[in-house]
Amino acid sequence: MEESSRRNSLIALTLVGIAPSISIFASFGSGSGLFGQLAWLTSKVWMLGLPLLWLLYVEKKPLSWSPPRQGGLGVGFAVGMAFSLIMILAWLLVGESRVDRDTFRSTLEPFGLTVQSTYIAAAIFWTVGNSVLEEYVFRWFIVERAEDIFGEGWATISLSAGIFVLHHFFALWFLGFALEANLLACFGLFVGGAAFSWLYMKYRSIWVPYITHALCDVVVFGVGYLLLFG
């Protein structure tokens, strides 16, 4: 690949990769519910729009729903179930004593997420909708841009997983997770992100890692529900 193409891929990867972390600081760090919601929405539009423009006007490729033509849906489900079990065991071992429940609640309150019905609706949206967006961004766009630079292999997998972890670290920090609990969660997120990226590289469909991702999200929001309402 030409050097200019690699440079363009690096720029695109950077612009999209930093958007989730900026969103976390702008929303959770602002202390303002309205500003935070606007920042969150803007970041989602950016994460959706820039890769789309890249596909249409730089790569000049048609839109695609990323169908799983090479299979892999069963593999995604099996990996998701295994990860979910590990996450549940990790939570039972670490326990809620390593999470500041008051900080967790006060951070979510400006967004209305301490209301049970709102939390459940948000959990459904994140699991069904936001996880698809994250696979679209972190697996399709970031993995393929990293492949332009590093080729297929562990360098690409590690980079995409690292970018995936970064904004989660800041989110958990704002939510009141103790450092050791945050780092443990981020280790799990890195392993998960690496697995998601590997699944995408193997099957070339975002729906395979999405199944894994969605199953993990069910556990995450289940833990959040227990912290807020249990």
Side-chain angles (χ1 to χ4, degrees), residues 143-156:
V143 164
E144 293 202 359
R145 298 295 70 71
E147 284 181 321
D148 291 342
I149 302 167
F150 302 108
E152 295 185 16
W154 286 106
T156 289

Side-chain angles (χ1 to χ4, degrees), residues 24-33 35-36 111 174:
I24 293 298
F25 275 97
S27 55
F28 288 157
S30 68
S32 170
F35 179 81
F111 304 97
F174 279 115

Side-chain angles (χ1 to χ4, degrees), residues 170-189:
F170 294 126
L172 292 172
W173 176 49
F174 279 115
L175 288 170
F177 277 61
L179 180 60
E180 60 269 31
N182 194 337
L183 292 176
L184 177 62
C186 285
F187 173 75
L189 284 162

Side-chain angles (χ1 to χ4, degrees), residues 4-186:
S4 60
S5 297
R6 290 194 181 93
R7 183 171 60 251
N8 289 340
S9 292
L10 178 61
I11 292 171
L13 187 154
T14 302
L15 289 175
V16 173
I18 63 173
S21 295
I22 292 175
S23 172
I24 293 298
F25 275 97
S27 55
F28 288 157
S30 68
S32 170
L34 178 59
F35 179 81
Q37 290 168 16
L38 290 174
W40 178 84
L41 180 61
T42 300
S43 74
K44 296 304 178 185
V45 172
W46 179 260
M47 290 166 63
L48 176 66
L50 194 148
L52 188 61
L53 292 173
W54 182 275
L55 176 73
L56 296 175
Y57 296 106
V58 177
E59 294 190 340
K60 301 185 184 305
K61 293 181 179 179
L63 294 174
S64 171
W65 289 103
S66 191
R69 294 191 177 94
Q70 301 179 47
L73 296 179
V75 176
F77 181 81
V79 174
M81 291 299 293
F83 279 179
S84 296
L85 178 60
I86 292 170
M87 291 167 67
I88 292 170
L89 292 174
W91 174 252
L92 293 175
L93 290 173
V94 174
E96 63 179 283
S97 61
R98 305 312 302 162
V99 179
D100 187 328
R101 189 186 286 251
D102 291 335
T103 300
F104 185 81
R105 174 177 288 276
S106 63
T107 303
L108 295 181
E109 192 168 12
F111 304 97
L113 294 175
T114 54
V115 178
Q116 191 176 46
S117 59
T118 304
Y119 182 87
I120 292 173
I124 293 172
F125 165 76
W126 251 272
T127 303
V128 176
N130 191 69
S131 291
V132 175
L133 176 61
E134 290 197 343
E135 293 309 306
Y136 162 86
V137 171
F138 291 104
R139 255 52 71 181
W140 164 61
F141 191 74
I142 288 181
V143 164
E144 293 202 359
R145 298 295 70 71
E147 284 181 321
D148 291 342
I149 302 167
F150 302 108
E152 295 185 16
W154 286 106
T156 289
I157 290 174
S158 297
L159 178 62
S160 62
I163 295 173
F164 179 66
V165 166
L166 185 61
H167 73 286
H168 286 96
F169 172 83
F170 294 126
L172 292 172
W173 176 49
F174 279 115
L175 288 170
F177 277 61
L179 180 60
E180 60 269 31
N182 194 337
L183 292 176
L184 177 62
C186 285

